[in-house]
Amino acid sequence: QQRRNSHGGILHPSFFLSRVGGDSSLSTKSIDDMADDQDVPEACPGVGSERAGKEDACQGCPNRSACADGSAKKQAETDAQKVAARLKDVRHVVLVLSGKGGVGKSTFSAQLAYALASQDKEVGLLDVDICGPSIPTMLGLEGQEVHQSNLGWSPVYVDDNLGVMSIGFLLNNKDEAVVWRGPRKNSLIKQFLQDVDWAKLDYLVVD
């Protein structure tokens, strides 16, 4: 059964602004963009497709015109450049994934991050499990908040050389449900990649 927040509805993206300390100007636009994605069809062909904005599934989509004229594709390319610029000082990105849930990805990711940090490596751990973030619980970081500076969002640090970012830090209540799919989920993951100030890392572990 879908769990709901105290107001009886699914969490709106703008809710997370209240959980980011410091200057929120860096995150306002991208979070507002997520709100525009709520009516994007699940059968969306993708902004990079030649059929973007032209398929039957595109009817009624708020981004249809942007996809059809190519501006959405240009924006996606710009976003990719921003992600590359943000991660230019990350030597290795380790992606932990599987074809199903409940197989221990988060447990493995947490142990791998700890093991690398114990070898005096600079390590970041990015929890992109939007619907069920468990990394803050595993690392004893429940209740921590994300702070923001002119450089971006600052990770929450377990040790001096092990920083963590998770949507779990942006929830007032760990039992609140974030039921996002498709473009809205991707928008938050993109924001984590673009806006988190990881600085120089030897490894970025992505759960």
Side-chain angles (χ1 to χ4, degrees), residues 5 81 126 177 200:
N5 66 4
Q81 292 172 357
L126 177 58
K200 291 186 177 181

Side-chain angles (χ1 to χ4, degrees), residues 7-207:
H7 299 291
I10 300 303
L11 293 173
H12 187 277
S14 60
F15 163 84
F16 298 110
L17 280 176
S18 64
R19 296 291 290 172
V20 180
D23 180 8
S24 62
S25 61
L26 292 177
S27 58
T28 302
K29 182 179 185 300
S30 48
I31 287 181
D32 287 343
D33 287 345
M34 279 187 264
D36 294 337
D37 289 332
Q38 60 187 337
D39 297 321
V40 172
E42 290 190 33
C44 171
V47 298
S49 170
E50 293 182 357
R51 301 298 302 168
K54 302 171 185 176
E55 295 283 1
D56 291 340
C58 301
Q59 297 291 334
C61 175
N63 300 324
R64 181 185 180 188
S65 60
C67 288
D69 66 16
S71 58
K73 182 178 181 179
K74 292 179 181 178
Q75 181 61 49
E77 293 172 348
T78 299
D79 290 339
Q81 292 172 357
K82 290 180 179 178
V83 171
R86 177 62 80 176
L87 300 183
K88 66 180 177 63
D89 291 325
V90 178
R91 294 182 60 194
H92 305 286
V93 177
V94 181
L95 180 61
V96 181
L97 54 80
S98 75
K100 68 184 299 293
V103 297
K105 294 185 296 296
S106 295
T107 301
F108 177 80
S109 297
Q111 292 177 339
L112 177 61
Y114 265 123
L116 293 170
S118 70
Q119 297 178 12
D120 295 325
K121 304 297 184 182
E122 295 293 331
V123 183
L125 176 55
L126 177 58
D127 179 11
V128 294
D129 187 348
I130 305 300
C131 299
S134 56
I135 289 296
T137 301
M138 290 184 175
L139 300 187
L141 298 175
E142 290 182 296
Q144 297 293 322
E145 295 185 8
V146 175
H147 295 278
Q148 190 171 36
S149 69
N150 60 340
L151 297 177
W153 290 5
S154 297
V156 176
Y157 283 89
V158 182
D159 292 310
D160 290 341
N161 63 332
L162 176 53
V164 181
M165 178 56 68
S166 169
I167 194 175
F169 298 140
L170 306 179
L171 299 175
N172 283 320
N173 185 335
K174 66 179 181 179
D175 293 325
E176 287 172 324
V178 183
V179 187
W180 293 354
R181 295 188 299 270
R184 295 180 71 185
K185 182 175 180 178
N186 291 342
S187 291
L188 184 58
I189 294 174
K190 179 177 67 177
Q191 183 166 9
F192 277 162
L193 293 173
Q194 287 183 355
D195 291 350
V196 176
D197 179 27
W198 294 108
K200 291 186 177 181
L201 292 180
D202 293 305
Y203 295 92
L204 175 61
V205 180
V206 182
D207 174 21

